[in-house]
Amino acid sequence: MQNGETQEEEVKTEANTNEEVEVEAAPEESESTESTKDEYKDKYFYIAAEMQNMQKRFEREKENLFKYGNEKIMTDLVDIIDNFERTLGFIENDEDEKVKNIAVGIQMINKLFNEKLERHGLKKIEALDVEFNPEFHEALSQRAEEGKANNTVVEVYQNGYTLNDRVIRAAKVIIAKND
Amino acid sequence: MGRIIGIDLGTTNSCVAVYENGKYVIIPNAEGQNTTPSVVAYNDKGEALVGKVAKNQAVTNPGKTVYGVKRLIGRKATDKEALDFKKVAPFDVFANKNGDAWVKVGDKEMSPQEVSARILEKMKKSAEDYLGQPVTEAVITVPAYFNDAQRQATKDAGRIAG
């Protein structure tokens, strides 16, 4: 019995000590709770803002995906247009009747091909005889050209294209420079 | 608590990325490209053109189109690398009063840091447009062989760019 009483007393004393410790620690804890609260509040605002930005970004990315998603394939197809134009350049003025017919055929295919791609946002960059604009044109060289103002495109070496107003290939050009 | 971006400031091309959801994401520039040529040009109006636009007009404006400044950053004009670069660069490379390698763009004398800052500004702008928030902190890469002066100069470029 005596042992039991002693144990109880010990337990009580321990409990008292704990209470005392808790009471003493209370002001400190409330301060730290306050700062933790502020910290979480800051984090919440940050994450909310981040979420909003992310949403906006996803919207923009979705839009861009629709507009420019086929950029790579368009860039590759543009090479085919180049080759059509190159072929026509060689055979267009041929005297042979057979070749003339082939040229007409290629011209028709080229036109159809261009029209189809235009429907998907591809557009040829106007370059010849316009003022050089580095956003759309890539200067390969300069040469003196009578009757042309400085900085005017005098020759288009390779056509440039835009896809929904974004340049996918700048036109490679030669520009006038008269001293 | 803004986002921190990483910029690979290259001799020929530069690239910017951000760490997101446990992986890095390369941020495309306004032209939709993942890399931006490290080229800065000044047109007749004194405006700075950076990236592909600057590269496109390089032939027409060689004296005011600056590229490869990473070869000069933090170097003395008498360093072998600076002298070698001077031989091939279409713009003037000279020693400023401290002997550092600077470039002359038209009448303007500029430090490689200022030129690099224009590139960093463009990269920063791409990141801000992408993230939708201002960026104030960035990690900028330098080659392992860069000495203290070169590293410091690259940091200065970052500071100029904001």
Side-chain angles (χ1 to χ4, degrees):
Chain A
M1 276 296 276
Q2 242 186 348
N3 269 351
E5 269 175 27
T6 329
Q7 268 179 356
E8 253 175 51
E9 265 173 38
E10 269 174 20
V11 172
K12 270 184 193 169
T13 329
E14 257 179 42
N16 281 346
T17 328
N18 279 346
E19 260 172 42
E20 270 168 33
V21 171
E22 267 171 30
V23 171
E24 269 173 26
E28 257 181 48
E29 210 172 79
S30 85
E31 256 175 49
S32 76
T33 319
E34 203 55 36
S35 72
T36 320
K37 213 168 92 184
D38 284 346
E39 206 179 293
Y40 280 125
K41 215 161 129 186
D42 281 351
K43 267 189 190 157
Y44 166 75
F45 284 130
Y46 176 75
I47 291 168
E50 186 69 18
M51 266 300 268
Q52 231 175 18
N53 282 337
M54 270 232 208
Q55 257 168 353
K56 275 188 211 159
R57 203 193 314 157
F58 284 145
E59 283 299 315
R60 205 173 47 224
E61 272 176 13
K62 206 164 77 181
E63 197 182 303
N64 280 350
L65 204 67
F66 276 119
K67 275 166 88 176
Y68 310 116
N70 49 7
E71 187 179 329
K72 272 189 185 160
I73 188 162
M74 283 293 187
T75 315
D76 285 346
L77 291 178
V78 154
D79 288 341
I80 299 175
I81 301 178
D82 284 348
N83 282 325
F84 273 139
E85 282 167 0
R86 223 166 274 149
T87 313
L88 284 172
F90 278 119
I91 62 172
E92 225 166 10
N93 300 321
D94 203 287
E95 297 294 317
D96 193 332
E97 206 57 37
K98 224 173 179 178
V99 178
K100 268 185 187 171
N101 283 339
I102 293 171
V104 172
I106 293 176
Q107 230 158 14
M108 284 161 73
I109 298 169
N110 188 29
K111 196 170 161 244
L112 187 70
F113 196 53
N114 272 294
E115 279 171 5
K116 296 278 179 200
L117 294 182
E118 260 174 45
R119 273 206 273 165
H120 294 278
L122 191 81
K123 204 174 157 199
K124 194 191 268 187
I125 294 171
E126 287 304 319
L128 197 63
D129 289 332
V130 299
E131 198 187 348
F132 172 70
N133 179 350
E135 279 188 39
F136 298 103
H137 310 140
E138 183 184 336
L140 294 182
S141 68
Q142 294 173 299
R143 72 164 181 240
E145 189 92 4
E146 262 182 59
K148 299 272 175 164
N150 275 351
N151 260 353
T152 306
V153 174
V154 291
E155 191 182 325
V156 180
Y157 180 76
Q158 189 185 52
N159 281 317
Y161 289 88
T162 58
L163 179 65
N164 293 317
D165 298 329
R166 181 194 270 178
V167 178
I168 57 166
R169 190 175 80 185
K172 290 190 170 63
V173 299
I174 296 172
I175 65 173
K177 194 193 180 192
N178 301 310
D179 290 319
Chain B
M1 283 251 280
R3 302 293 293 273
I4 304 173
I5 55 168
I7 301 175
D8 176 16
L9 181 63
T11 310
T12 320
N13 288 299
S14 295
C15 183
V16 60
V18 68
Y19 195 69
E20 210 166 50
N21 301 327
K23 59 180 179 146
Y24 69 88
V25 179
I26 304 277
I27 300 173
N29 60 20
E31 296 91 43
Q33 302 298 315
N34 285 347
T35 56
T36 303
S38 305
V39 184
V40 180
Y42 292 86
N43 63 15
D44 295 336
K45 293 171 205 151
E47 296 164 338
L49 308 171
V50 185
K52 186 81 176 81
V53 183
K55 203 176 169 187
N56 281 351
Q57 56 82 68
V59 174
T60 66
N61 188 18
K64 288 186 185 173
T65 305
V66 190
Y67 61 86
V69 279
K70 196 176 159 186
R71 294 186 203 281
L72 303 175
I73 201 161
R75 287 192 194 274
K76 296 285 171 197
T78 47
D79 284 359
K80 189 185 172 293
E81 287 79 5
L83 291 172
D84 285 348
F85 186 59
K86 188 184 168 142
K87 277 182 215 158
V88 293
F91 46 88
D92 192 20
V93 177
F94 70 101
N96 81 335
K97 58 181 189 294
N98 298 325
D100 297 334
W102 277 33
V103 293
K104 202 170 204 170
V105 183
D107 305 326
K108 246 165 113 183
E109 293 177 351
M110 298 176 84
S111 64
Q113 289 91 310
E114 282 174 80
V115 179
S116 296
R118 297 284 93 78
I119 300 162
L120 293 174
E121 265 172 15
K122 184 175 165 81
M123 307 313 287
K124 183 185 160 193
K125 173 85 178 31
S126 300
E128 286 179 336
D129 288 346
Y130 176 83
L131 295 168
Q133 58 177 279
V135 171
T136 50
E137 288 173 286
V139 177
I140 304 169
T141 60
V142 289
Y145 61 80
F146 257 30
N147 63 25
D148 265 358
Q150 288 168 307
R151 281 161 203 258
Q152 197 51 51
T154 307
K155 272 192 199 174
D156 291 343
R159 239 170 256 130
I160 299 169

